[in-house]
Amino acid sequence: MKKFTIDLFVNNRFGVLNRITGLYCKRGYNIESIHAGPTEIPGCTKIEIVSSGDEYMRTQVISQLEKLYDVRKVELMSVTDLE
């Protein structure tokens, strides 16, 4: 099991955060921390999510997040071993 960080760039619209967290909830994945803030691009918000799981879970989360409406970009930022 590894801890990983995903950065999302999303349109700043009503319900976006709810759809993202709902995706995690439906699949039974845990969010260890979540941060959101503005970007230099008007109407765009950056969301950073830290989770833990195996490689299959990481690839599934990234794949499903990329399909969400209003998600502009998904980046896997880091992967670290849990001790």
Side-chain angles (χ1 to χ4, degrees), residues 4-47:
F4 59 94
T5 304
I6 295 175
D7 278 359
L8 303 167
F9 293 89
V10 300
N11 293 325
N12 190 5
R13 298 176 73 182
F14 179 81
V16 173
L17 187 58
N18 187 39
R19 285 191 292 277
I20 291 167
T21 56
L23 183 144
Y24 276 79
C25 182
K26 279 191 250 180
R27 285 160 177 62
Y29 299 151
N30 188 40
I31 295 174
E32 293 185 16
S33 71
I34 187 167
H35 304 277
T39 64
E40 297 171 354
I41 304 165
C44 183
T45 299
K46 178 182 175 184
I47 300 173

Side-chain angles (χ1 to χ4, degrees), residues 54-77:
D54 58 12
E55 185 177 347
Y56 177 76
M57 184 246 184
R58 277 193 314 272
T59 57
Q60 286 299 302
V61 166
I62 291 169
S63 174
Q64 294 300 315
L65 286 170
E66 289 174 334
K67 294 177 186 178
L68 288 179
Y69 188 75
D70 285 325
V71 173
R72 293 181 178 194
K73 186 177 182 181
V74 179
E75 293 179 346
L76 179 61
M77 297 306 291

